Amino acid sequence: MVVRNRFISGIQSVDAVVSVFLPVSLGIIMLSLGLGLTVADFAGIVRQPRAVIAGLSAQVILLPVIVYSFVIAFGISGELAFGFMLLAASPGGVTSNILTKLVGGTLALSISLTGLISLLSVITVPLLVVFWAGLFLNAGDVTVDVTSLALKMFAITTVPVAIGMIIRAIAKDLALRIEPVLSVIAAVLFVVIVVGAIAASWSVLADNWATLAPMTALMVLCLLALGWVIARLVGLSAPDRAAIGMETGIQNSTVAITLAGILHAGPEALPVIALPAAVYGILMYLGALPGGYLMYRAVKRAP
């Protein structure tokens, strides 16, 4: 009886992680994003149609193609392959805005693209999840209800961003005071989620580290370069190229990890499909450092 009660308690704890901690953590992260957004940021989209089209094309269309190419080239399959594609379907992260600023990129463009693609993810993510699940997973590995997933995406991404923007619009001073605090909390939650996902699939990570580590680091560099090249092809300035490069290379791994927990049909709170996003959450900085330095040099040399 004691063993049974402990087992039930364990299952309830797992459910709590999936149904409460992960969505709430992501909501806080997205709220911190919304506090930094204004209507004027989105108005800038109208003034920069080439930049927005280039950013959307790189992140929504070409990024999944590049990630899929890496998955095939490195022989990744099953849940790990689906995990990488789940990451590719996720929007850009708040970190991309910070890195864009550090390398001298166009911050307004970066923020606009992060917000826009986060809003579009309500539509794009459920459709892409269904497609990649059918390609890489067996029936029953994940539970995908497109309508339900779209509503959950709306609740944990769009709603917090909208609330943050409303607070910024009606109480700017309050938003400016709480934004730094929320940013720190968001960073801590990000670390907790990444560490938890890695710990939950440690044996899988150990068995596949020699493949996952170089693949992920190289993939980040290629995605950074992809955004830069696409922006250059349409004639954008060096700061705009840096912004789109960072938006393309730095994905929101917290979204992917949260979705992994929601989608998985098994008892694990953080299943194997969350592992690629967790590894990426750490190794993206290895690619962002050299890539960001090259962007910084290019922006400084630009007329």
Side-chain angles (χ1 to χ4, degrees), residues 69-164:
S69 300
F70 269 87
V71 165
I72 298 302
F74 280 81
I76 307 297
S77 61
E79 289 184 306
L80 285 177
F82 179 71
F84 274 108
M85 300 318 304
L86 193 60
L87 175 65
S90 300
V94 181
T95 307
S96 63
N97 306 148
I98 299 171
L99 293 176
T100 295
K101 183 176 181 179
L102 289 175
V103 302
T106 306
L107 183 58
L109 175 60
S110 176
I111 292 174
S112 298
L113 285 172
T114 299
L116 178 61
I117 295 175
S118 294
L119 296 178
L120 289 177
S121 66
V122 174
I123 300 172
T124 59
V125 170
L127 296 176
L128 288 172
V129 164
V130 170
F131 177 76
W132 296 120
L135 192 61
F136 288 113
L137 299 179
N138 298 317
D141 285 344
V142 299
T143 303
V144 183
D145 181 326
V146 175
T147 302
S148 174
L149 184 56
L151 291 174
K152 289 176 180 177
M153 284 294 299
F154 179 79
I156 61 180
T157 59
T158 305
V159 171
V161 169
I163 292 174

Coordinates of all heavy atoms in Angstrom, one line a residue, residues 69-164:
S69 N 18.2 18.6 -42.7 CA 19.4 18.1 -43.4 C 20.5 17.6 -42.4 O 21.1 16.6 -42.7 CB 20.0 19.3 -44.3 OG 19.0 19.7 -45.2
F70 N 20.6 18.3 -41.3 CA 21.6 17.9 -40.3 C 21.1 16.5 -39.7 O 22.0 15.7 -39.4 CB 21.7 18.9 -39.2 CG 22.8 19.9 -39.5 CD1 22.5 21.1 -40.2 CD2 24.1 19.8 -38.9 CE1 23.5 22.0 -40.5 CE2 25.1 20.7 -39.2 CZ 24.8 21.8 -40.0
V71 N 19.9 16.4 -39.4 CA 19.3 15.2 -38.8 C 19.6 14.0 -39.7 O 20.1 12.9 -39.3 CB 17.8 15.3 -38.6 CG1 17.2 13.9 -38.3 CG2 17.5 16.3 -37.4
I72 N 19.4 14.2 -41.0 CA 19.7 13.1 -42.0 C 21.2 12.8 -42.1 O 21.6 11.7 -42.1 CB 19.0 13.4 -43.4 CG1 17.5 13.6 -43.2 CG2 19.4 12.3 -44.4 CD1 16.8 12.3 -42.7
A73 N 21.9 13.9 -42.2 CA 23.4 13.8 -42.4 C 24.1 13.1 -41.3 O 25.0 12.3 -41.5 CB 24.0 15.1 -42.7
F74 N 23.6 13.3 -40.0 CA 24.2 12.7 -38.9 C 23.6 11.4 -38.4 O 23.9 10.9 -37.4 CB 24.2 13.7 -37.7 CG 25.3 14.8 -37.8 CD1 25.2 15.9 -38.6 CD2 26.5 14.6 -37.0 CE1 26.2 16.8 -38.7 CE2 27.5 15.6 -37.1 CZ 27.3 16.7 -37.9
G75 N 22.6 11.0 -39.2 CA 22.0 9.7 -38.9 C 21.1 9.7 -37.7 O 21.0 8.6 -37.0
I76 N 20.5 10.8 -37.3 CA 19.6 10.9 -36.2 C 18.2 10.4 -36.6 O 17.7 10.7 -37.7 CB 19.5 12.3 -35.6 CG1 20.9 12.9 -35.4 CG2 18.7 12.4 -34.4 CD1 21.7 12.2 -34.3
S77 N 17.6 9.6 -35.7 CA 16.3 9.1 -36.0 C 15.4 9.0 -34.8 O 15.8 9.4 -33.7 CB 16.4 7.6 -36.6 OG 17.0 6.8 -35.6
G78 N 14.1 8.6 -35.0 CA 13.2 8.4 -33.9 C 12.9 9.7 -33.1 O 12.8 10.8 -33.6
E79 N 12.9 9.5 -31.7 CA 12.6 10.6 -30.8 C 13.6 11.7 -30.9 O 13.2 12.9 -30.7 CB 12.4 10.0 -29.4 CG 11.2 9.2 -29.2 CD 11.1 8.7 -27.8 OE1 12.0 8.2 -27.2 OE2 10.0 8.9 -27.2
L80 N 14.8 11.4 -31.0 CA 15.9 12.5 -31.1 C 15.6 13.3 -32.3 O 15.8 14.5 -32.3 CB 17.3 11.9 -31.1 CG 17.8 11.3 -29.7 CD1 19.2 10.7 -29.9 CD2 17.8 12.4 -28.7
A81 N 15.4 12.7 -33.5 CA 15.1 13.4 -34.7 C 13.9 14.3 -34.5 O 13.9 15.5 -34.9 CB 14.9 12.4 -35.9
F82 N 12.8 13.8 -34.0 CA 11.6 14.6 -33.8 C 11.9 15.7 -32.8 O 11.4 16.8 -33.0 CB 10.5 13.7 -33.2 CG 9.2 14.4 -32.9 CD1 8.4 14.9 -33.9 CD2 8.9 14.7 -31.6 CE1 7.3 15.6 -33.7 CE2 7.7 15.4 -31.3 CZ 6.9 15.9 -32.3
G83 N 12.8 15.5 -31.8 CA 13.1 16.6 -30.9 C 13.8 17.7 -31.6 O 13.6 18.9 -31.3
F84 N 14.7 17.4 -32.5 CA 15.4 18.5 -33.3 C 14.4 19.2 -34.1 O 14.5 20.5 -34.3 CB 16.5 17.9 -34.2 CG 17.8 17.7 -33.4 CD1 18.3 16.5 -33.1 CD2 18.6 18.8 -33.1 CE1 19.5 16.3 -32.4 CE2 19.8 18.7 -32.5 CZ 20.2 17.5 -32.1
M85 N 13.4 18.5 -34.7 CA 12.5 19.2 -35.6 C 11.5 20.0 -34.8 O 11.0 21.0 -35.2 CB 11.7 18.2 -36.5 CG 12.6 17.3 -37.4 SD 13.9 18.3 -38.2 CE 13.0 19.6 -39.1
L86 N 11.2 19.5 -33.5 CA 10.4 20.3 -32.6 C 11.1 21.6 -32.3 O 10.4 22.7 -32.2 CB 10.1 19.5 -31.3 CG 9.0 20.0 -30.4 CD1 7.7 20.0 -31.1 CD2 9.0 19.1 -29.1
L87 N 12.4 21.6 -32.1 CA 13.2 22.8 -31.9 C 13.1 23.7 -33.1 O 12.9 24.9 -32.9 CB 14.6 22.4 -31.6 CG 15.6 23.5 -31.4 CD1 15.3 24.4 -30.2 CD2 17.0 23.0 -31.3
A88 N 13.2 23.1 -34.3 CA 13.2 23.9 -35.5 C 11.8 24.6 -35.7 O 11.7 25.7 -36.3 CB 13.5 23.0 -36.7
A89 N 10.8 24.0 -35.2 CA 9.4 24.6 -35.3 C 9.2 25.7 -34.3 O 8.3 26.5 -34.5 CB 8.4 23.5 -35.2
S90 N 10.0 25.7 -33.3 CA 9.7 26.7 -32.2 C 10.2 28.1 -32.7 O 11.1 28.2 -33.5 CB 10.5 26.3 -30.9 OG 10.0 25.1 -30.5
P91 N 9.6 29.2 -32.1 CA 10.0 30.5 -32.5 C 11.4 30.9 -31.9 O 12.0 30.1 -31.1 CB 8.9 31.4 -31.9 CG 8.4 30.6 -30.7 CD 8.5 29.2 -31.1
G92 N 11.9 32.1 -32.3 CA 13.1 32.5 -31.8 C 13.0 32.9 -30.3 O 11.9 33.1 -29.8
G93 N 14.2 33.0 -29.6 CA 14.1 33.2 -28.2 C 14.5 34.6 -27.8 O 15.0 35.4 -28.6
V94 N 14.1 35.0 -26.6 CA 14.5 36.4 -26.1 C 16.0 36.6 -26.1 O 16.4 37.7 -26.3 CB 14.0 36.5 -24.6 CG1 14.2 37.9 -24.1 CG2 12.5 36.2 -24.6
T95 N 16.7 35.5 -26.0 CA 18.2 35.6 -26.0 C 18.7 36.3 -27.3 O 19.7 37.0 -27.3 CB 18.9 34.2 -25.8 OG1 18.3 33.6 -24.7 CG2 20.4 34.4 -25.7
S96 N 18.0 36.0 -28.4 CA 18.4 36.6 -29.7 C 18.3 38.1 -29.7 O 19.2 38.7 -30.3 CB 17.5 36.1 -30.8 OG 16.1 36.5 -30.6
N97 N 17.4 38.7 -28.9 CA 17.3 40.1 -28.8 C 18.6 40.7 -28.1 O 19.2 41.7 -28.5 CB 16.1 40.6 -28.0 CG 14.8 40.0 -28.6 OD1 13.9 39.8 -27.9 ND2 14.8 39.8 -29.9
I98 N 19.0 40.0 -27.0 CA 20.1 40.4 -26.2 C 21.4 40.3 -27.1 O 22.2 41.2 -27.1 CB 20.3 39.6 -25.0 CG1 19.1 39.7 -24.1 CG2 21.6 39.9 -24.2 CD1 19.0 38.8 -22.9
L99 N 21.6 39.2 -27.8 CA 22.8 39.0 -28.6 C 22.8 40.0 -29.8 O 23.9 40.4 -30.2 CB 22.8 37.5 -29.1 CG 23.1 36.5 -28.0 CD1 23.0 35.1 -28.6 CD2 24.4 36.7 -27.3
T100 N 21.6 40.2 -30.3 CA 21.5 41.2 -31.4 C 22.1 42.6 -31.0 O 22.8 43.2 -31.7 CB 20.1 41.4 -31.9 OG1 19.7 40.1 -32.5 CG2 20.0 42.5 -33.0
K101 N 21.7 43.0 -29.8 CA 22.1 44.3 -29.3 C 23.7 44.3 -29.1 O 24.4 45.2 -29.4 CB 21.4 44.6 -27.9 CG 21.8 45.9 -27.3 CD 21.0 46.2 -26.1 CE 21.3 47.6 -25.5 NZ 20.5 47.8 -24.3
L102 N 24.2 43.1 -28.6 CA 25.6 43.0 -28.3 C 26.5 43.1 -29.5 O 27.6 43.7 -29.5 CB 25.9 41.7 -27.5 CG 25.4 41.6 -26.1 CD1 25.7 40.3 -25.5 CD2 26.1 42.7 -25.2
V103 N 26.0 42.6 -30.6 CA 26.8 42.6 -31.9 C 26.5 43.8 -32.7 O 27.1 43.9 -33.8 CB 26.5 41.3 -32.7 CG1 26.9 40.1 -31.9 CG2 25.1 41.2 -33.2
G104 N 25.7 44.7 -32.3 CA 25.4 45.9 -33.0 C 24.3 45.8 -34.1 O 24.2 46.6 -35.0
G105 N 23.5 44.8 -33.9 CA 22.4 44.6 -34.9 C 21.2 45.5 -34.6 O 21.2 46.2 -33.6
T106 N 20.2 45.5 -35.5 CA 19.1 46.3 -35.4 C 18.1 45.7 -34.4 O 17.4 44.8 -34.7 CB 18.4 46.5 -36.8 OG1 19.3 46.9 -37.7 CG2 17.2 47.5 -36.7
L107 N 18.1 46.3 -33.2 CA 17.4 45.7 -32.1 C 15.9 45.7 -32.3 O 15.2 44.7 -32.0 CB 17.7 46.4 -30.8 CG 17.0 45.9 -29.5 CD1 17.4 44.4 -29.3 CD2 17.4 46.7 -28.3
A108 N 15.4 46.8 -32.9 CA 13.9 46.9 -33.2 C 13.5 45.8 -34.1 O 12.4 45.2 -33.9 CB 13.6 48.3 -33.8
L109 N 14.3 45.5 -35.1 CA 13.9 44.4 -36.1 C 13.9 43.1 -35.4 O 13.0 42.3 -35.6 CB 14.9 44.4 -37.2 CG 14.8 43.3 -38.2 CD1 13.4 43.3 -38.9 CD2 15.9 43.4 -39.3
S110 N 14.9 42.9 -34.5 CA 15.0 41.6 -33.8 C 13.8 41.4 -32.9 O 13.2 40.3 -32.9 CB 16.3 41.6 -32.9 OG 16.4 40.4 -32.1
I111 N 13.5 42.5 -32.2 CA 12.3 42.4 -31.2 C 11.0 42.1 -32.0 O 10.2 41.3 -31.7 CB 12.2 43.6 -30.4 CG1 13.4 43.7 -29.4 CG2 10.9 43.7 -29.6 CD1 13.4 45.0 -28.6
S112 N 10.9 42.8 -33.2 CA 9.7 42.7 -34.0 C 9.5 41.3 -34.5 O 8.5 40.7 -34.5 CB 9.7 43.7 -35.2 OG 9.7 45.0 -34.7
L113 N 10.7 40.7 -35.0 CA 10.6 39.3 -35.5 C 10.3 38.3 -34.4 O 9.6 37.4 -34.6 CB 12.0 39.0 -36.2 CG 12.2 39.7 -37.6 CD1 13.6 39.4 -38.1 CD2 11.2 39.1 -38.6
T114 N 10.9 38.5 -33.3 CA 10.7 37.6 -32.1 C 9.2 37.6 -31.8 O 8.6 36.5 -31.6 CB 11.5 38.0 -30.9 OG1 12.9 37.9 -31.2 CG2 11.2 37.0 -29.7
G115 N 8.6 38.8 -31.7 CA 7.2 38.9 -31.3 C 6.3 38.3 -32.4 O 5.4 37.6 -32.1
L116 N 6.6 38.7 -33.7 CA 5.7 38.2 -34.8 C 5.8 36.7 -34.9 O 4.7 36.1 -35.0 CB 6.2 38.9 -36.1 CG 5.5 38.5 -37.3 CD1 4.0 38.9 -37.2 CD2 6.1 39.2 -38.6
I117 N 7.0 36.1 -34.9 CA 7.1 34.7 -35.1 C 6.5 33.9 -33.9 O 5.9 32.9 -34.0 CB 8.5 34.3 -35.4 CG1 8.9 34.9 -36.7 CG2 8.7 32.8 -35.4 CD1 10.4 34.7 -37.1
S118 N 6.6 34.5 -32.7 CA 6.0 33.9 -31.5 C 4.5 33.9 -31.7 O 3.9 32.9 -31.3 CB 6.4 34.7 -30.2 OG 7.8 34.6 -30.0
L119 N 3.9 34.9 -32.2 CA 2.5 34.9 -32.4 C 2.1 34.0 -33.5 O 1.1 33.3 -33.4 CB 2.0 36.4 -32.8 CG 2.2 37.4 -31.7 CD1 1.8 38.8 -32.2 CD2 1.5 37.1 -30.4
L120 N 2.9 33.9 -34.6 CA 2.6 33.0 -35.7 C 2.7 31.5 -35.3 O 2.1 30.6 -35.9 CB 3.5 33.3 -36.9 CG 3.2 34.6 -37.6 CD1 4.2 34.8 -38.7 CD2 1.8 34.6 -38.2
S121 N 3.5 31.3 -34.2 CA 3.8 29.9 -33.8 C 2.5 29.2 -33.4 O 2.4 27.9 -33.4 CB 4.8 29.9 -32.7 OG 4.2 30.5 -31.5
V122 N 1.5 29.9 -33.0 CA 0.2 29.3 -32.7 C -0.4 28.5 -33.9 O -1.0 27.5 -33.7 CB -0.8 30.4 -32.3 CG1 -2.2 29.8 -32.1 CG2 -0.4 31.1 -31.0
I123 N -0.1 29.0 -35.1 CA -0.5 28.3 -36.3 C 0.5 27.3 -36.8 O 0.2 26.2 -37.1 CB -0.9 29.3 -37.4 CG1 -2.0 30.3 -36.9 CG2 -1.3 28.6 -38.7 CD1 -2.3 31.4 -37.8
T124 N 1.8 27.8 -36.9 CA 2.8 27.0 -37.5 C 3.3 25.8 -36.7 O 3.5 24.7 -37.3 CB 4.1 27.9 -37.8 OG1 4.6 28.4 -36.6 CG2 3.7 29.0 -38.7
V125 N 3.4 25.9 -35.4 CA 3.9 24.8 -34.6 C 3.0 23.6 -34.6 O 3.5 22.5 -34.9 CB 4.2 25.3 -33.2 CG1 4.5 24.1 -32.3 CG2 5.3 26.3 -33.1
P126 N 1.7 23.7 -34.4 CA 0.9 22.5 -34.4 C 0.9 21.8 -35.8 O 1.0 20.5 -35.8 CB -0.6 23.0 -34.2 CG -0.3 24.3 -33.4 CD 0.9 24.9 -34.0
L127 N 0.9 22.5 -36.9 CA 1.0 21.9 -38.2 C 2.3 21.2 -38.4 O 2.3 20.1 -39.0 CB 0.7 22.9 -39.3 CG -0.6 23.6 -39.3 CD1 -0.7 24.7 -40.4 CD2 -1.7 22.6 -39.5
L128 N 3.4 21.8 -38.1 CA 4.7 21.2 -38.2 C 4.9 20.0 -37.3 O 5.5 19.0 -37.7 CB 5.8 22.3 -38.0 CG 6.0 23.3 -39.0 CD1 6.9 24.4 -38.6 CD2 6.5 22.7 -40.4
V129 N 4.4 20.1 -36.1 CA 4.5 19.0 -35.2 C 3.8 17.7 -35.7 O 4.3 16.6 -35.7 CB 3.8 19.3 -33.8 CG1 3.6 18.1 -33.0 CG2 4.8 20.3 -33.0
V130 N 2.6 17.9 -36.3 CA 1.9 16.8 -36.9 C 2.7 16.2 -38.0 O 2.9 14.9 -38.2 CB 0.5 17.2 -37.4 CG1 -0.1 16.1 -38.3 CG2 -0.4 17.6 -36.3
F131 N 3.3 17.0 -38.9 CA 4.1 16.6 -40.0 C 5.3 15.8 -39.6 O 5.6 14.7 -40.0 CB 4.5 17.8 -40.9 CG 5.4 17.4 -42.1 CD1 4.9 16.8 -43.2 CD2 6.8 17.6 -42.0 CE1 5.7 16.4 -44.3 CE2 7.6 17.2 -43.1 CZ 7.0 16.6 -44.2
W132 N 6.1 16.4 -38.7 CA 7.4 15.7 -38.2 C 7.1 14.5 -37.4 O 7.9 13.5 -37.5 CB 8.2 16.7 -37.5 CG 8.7 17.9 -38.3 CD1 8.4 19.2 -38.0 CD2 9.5 17.9 -39.5 NE1 9.0 20.0 -39.0 CE2 9.7 19.2 -39.9 CE3 10.0 16.8 -40.2 CZ2 10.4 19.5 -41.0 CZ3 10.7 17.2 -41.4 CH2 10.9 18.5 -41.8
A133 N 6.0 14.5 -36.6 CA 5.7 13.3 -35.9 C 5.3 12.1 -36.8 O 5.8 11.0 -36.6 CB 4.5 13.6 -34.9
G134 N 4.6 12.4 -37.9 CA 4.3 11.4 -38.8 C 5.5 10.8 -39.5 O 5.6 9.7 -40.0
L135 N 6.6 11.7 -39.7 CA 7.8 11.3 -40.4 C 8.7 10.5 -39.5 O 9.4 9.5 -40.0 CB 8.5 12.5 -40.9 CG 9.6 12.3 -41.9 CD1 9.1 11.6 -43.2 CD2 10.2 13.6 -42.3
F136 N 8.8 10.8 -38.2 CA 9.9 10.2 -37.4 C 9.4 9.3 -36.2 O 10.2 8.6 -35.7 CB 10.7 11.3 -36.8 CG 11.6 12.0 -37.7 CD1 11.4 13.4 -38.1 CD2 12.7 11.4 -38.3 CE1 12.3 14.0 -39.0 CE2 13.5 12.0 -39.2 CZ 13.3 13.3 -39.6
L137 N 8.1 9.4 -35.9 CA 7.7 8.7 -34.7 C 6.7 7.6 -35.1 O 6.0 7.6 -36.1 CB 7.0 9.6 -33.7 CG 7.9 10.8 -33.1 CD1 7.0 11.6 -32.2 CD2 9.1 10.2 -32.4
N138 N 6.6 6.6 -34.2 CA 5.6 5.5 -34.3 C 4.3 6.0 -33.6 O 4.3 6.9 -32.8 CB 6.1 4.3 -33.5 CG 7.3 3.7 -34.1 OD1 7.5 3.6 -35.3 ND2 8.3 3.3 -33.3
A139 N 3.2 5.4 -34.0 CA 1.9 5.8 -33.5 C 1.9 5.6 -32.0 O 2.4 4.5 -31.5 CB 0.8 5.0 -34.1
G140 N 1.5 6.5 -31.2 CA 1.4 6.4 -29.8 C 2.6 7.0 -29.0 O 2.6 7.2 -27.8
D141 N 3.6 7.4 -29.8 CA 4.8 8.0 -29.1 C 4.4 9.4 -28.6 O 4.9 9.8 -27.5 CB 6.0 8.1 -30.1 CG 6.7 6.8 -30.3 OD1 6.5 5.9 -29.5 OD2 7.4 6.7 -31.3
V142 N 3.6 10.1 -29.3 CA 3.1 11.4 -28.9 C 1.7 11.5 -29.1 O 1.1 10.8 -30.0 CB 3.9 12.6 -29.5 CG1 5.4 12.6 -29.2 CG2 3.6 12.6 -31.0
T143 N 1.0 12.4 -28.4 CA -0.4 12.6 -28.6 C -0.6 14.0 -29.2 O -0.2 15.0 -28.6 CB -1.2 12.5 -27.3 OG1 -1.0 11.2 -26.7 CG2 -2.7 12.7 -27.6
V144 N -1.0 14.1 -30.5 CA -1.1 15.3 -31.2 C -2.6 15.6 -31.6 O -3.2 14.9 -32.4 CB -0.2 15.4 -32.4 CG1 -0.3 16.8 -33.1 CG2 1.2 15.0 -32.1
D145 N -3.1 16.6 -30.9 CA -4.5 17.2 -31.3 C -4.2 18.6 -31.7 O -3.9 19.5 -30.9 CB -5.4 17.1 -30.1 CG -6.8 17.6 -30.4 OD1 -6.9 18.6 -31.3 OD2 -7.8 17.1 -29.8
V146 N -4.3 18.8 -33.0 CA -3.9 20.1 -33.6 C -4.7 21.3 -32.9 O -4.0 22.3 -32.5 CB -4.2 20.2 -35.1 CG1 -3.9 21.6 -35.7 CG2 -3.3 19.2 -35.8
T147 N -6.0 21.2 -32.8 CA -6.7 22.2 -32.1 C -6.3 22.5 -30.7 O -6.1 23.6 -30.3 CB -8.2 21.9 -32.2 OG1 -8.6 21.7 -33.6 CG2 -9.1 23.0 -31.6
S148 N -6.2 21.4 -30.0 CA -5.8 21.5 -28.6 C -4.4 22.1 -28.4 O -4.2 22.9 -27.6 CB -5.8 20.1 -27.9 OG -5.3 20.2 -26.6
L149 N -3.5 21.6 -29.3 CA -2.1 22.2 -29.2 C -2.1 23.6 -29.6 O -1.4 24.4 -29.0 CB -1.2 21.4 -30.2 CG 0.3 21.7 -30.2 CD1 0.8 21.6 -28.7 CD2 1.1 20.8 -31.1
A150 N -2.9 24.0 -30.6 CA -2.9 25.5 -31.0 C -3.4 26.3 -29.8 O -2.9 27.4 -29.5 CB -3.8 25.6 -32.2
L151 N -4.5 25.8 -29.1 CA -5.0 26.5 -28.0 C -4.0 26.7 -26.8 O -3.9 27.7 -26.2 CB -6.3 25.9 -27.4 CG -7.5 26.0 -28.4 CD1 -8.6 25.1 -27.8 CD2 -8.0 27.4 -28.5
K152 N -3.2 25.6 -26.6 CA -2.2 25.6 -25.6 C -1.1 26.5 -26.0 O -0.5 27.3 -25.1 CB -1.6 24.2 -25.3 CG -2.6 23.3 -24.6 CD -2.1 21.8 -24.5 CE -3.1 20.9 -23.8 NZ -2.6 19.5 -23.7
M153 N -0.7 26.5 -27.2 CA 0.3 27.5 -27.7 C -0.1 28.9 -27.5 O 0.6 29.8 -27.1 CB 0.6 27.2 -29.2 CG 1.5 26.0 -29.5 SD 3.2 26.1 -28.8 CE 3.8 27.6 -29.7
F154 N -1.4 29.1 -27.8 CA -2.0 30.5 -27.6 C -1.9 30.9 -26.2 O -1.5 32.0 -25.8 CB -3.4 30.5 -28.1 CG -4.1 31.8 -28.0 CD1 -3.9 32.9 -28.8 CD2 -5.0 32.0 -26.9 CE1 -4.5 34.1 -28.7 CE2 -5.6 33.3 -26.8 CZ -5.4 34.3 -27.6
A155 N -2.2 29.9 -25.3 CA -2.3 30.3 -23.8 C -0.9 30.5 -23.2 O -0.7 31.4 -22.4 CB -3.0 29.1 -23.1
I156 N 0.1 29.8 -23.7 CA 1.4 29.9 -23.1 C 2.4 30.8 -23.8 O 3.5 31.1 -23.3 CB 2.1 28.5 -22.8 CG1 2.3 27.8 -24.2 CG2 1.2 27.7 -21.9 CD1 2.9 26.4 -24.0
T157 N 2.0 31.2 -25.0 CA 2.9 32.2 -25.7 C 2.2 33.5 -26.0 O 2.7 34.5 -25.6 CB 3.4 31.5 -27.0 OG1 2.3 31.2 -27.9 CG2 4.2 30.3 -26.8
T158 N 1.1 33.5 -26.7 CA 0.4 34.7 -27.2 C -0.1 35.5 -26.0 O 0.1 36.7 -25.9 CB -0.7 34.4 -28.2 OG1 -0.1 33.6 -29.3 CG2 -1.3 35.6 -28.7
V159 N -0.8 34.8 -25.1 CA -1.5 35.5 -24.0 C -0.5 36.2 -23.1 O -0.6 37.4 -22.8 CB -2.4 34.6 -23.2 CG1 -2.8 35.2 -21.9 CG2 -3.6 34.1 -24.0
P160 N 0.6 35.6 -22.7 CA 1.6 36.3 -21.9 C 2.3 37.5 -22.6 O 2.5 38.5 -22.0 CB 2.7 35.2 -21.5 CG 1.9 33.9 -21.6 CD 1.0 34.1 -22.8
V161 N 2.6 37.3 -23.9 CA 3.1 38.4 -24.7 C 2.2 39.6 -24.7 O 2.5 40.7 -24.5 CB 3.5 37.9 -26.1 CG1 3.9 39.1 -27.0 CG2 4.7 37.0 -26.0
A162 N 0.9 39.3 -24.9 CA -0.1 40.3 -25.0 C -0.3 41.0 -23.7 O -0.4 42.3 -23.6 CB -1.5 39.7 -25.5
I163 N -0.3 40.3 -22.6 CA -0.4 40.9 -21.3 C 0.8 41.8 -21.0 O 0.7 42.9 -20.5 CB -0.4 39.8 -20.2 CG1 -1.8 39.0 -20.3 CG2 -0.3 40.4 -18.8 CD1 -1.9 37.8 -19.3
G164 N 2.0 41.3 -21.4 CA 3.2 42.2 -21.2 C 3.1 43.5 -22.0 O 3.5 44.5 -21.5

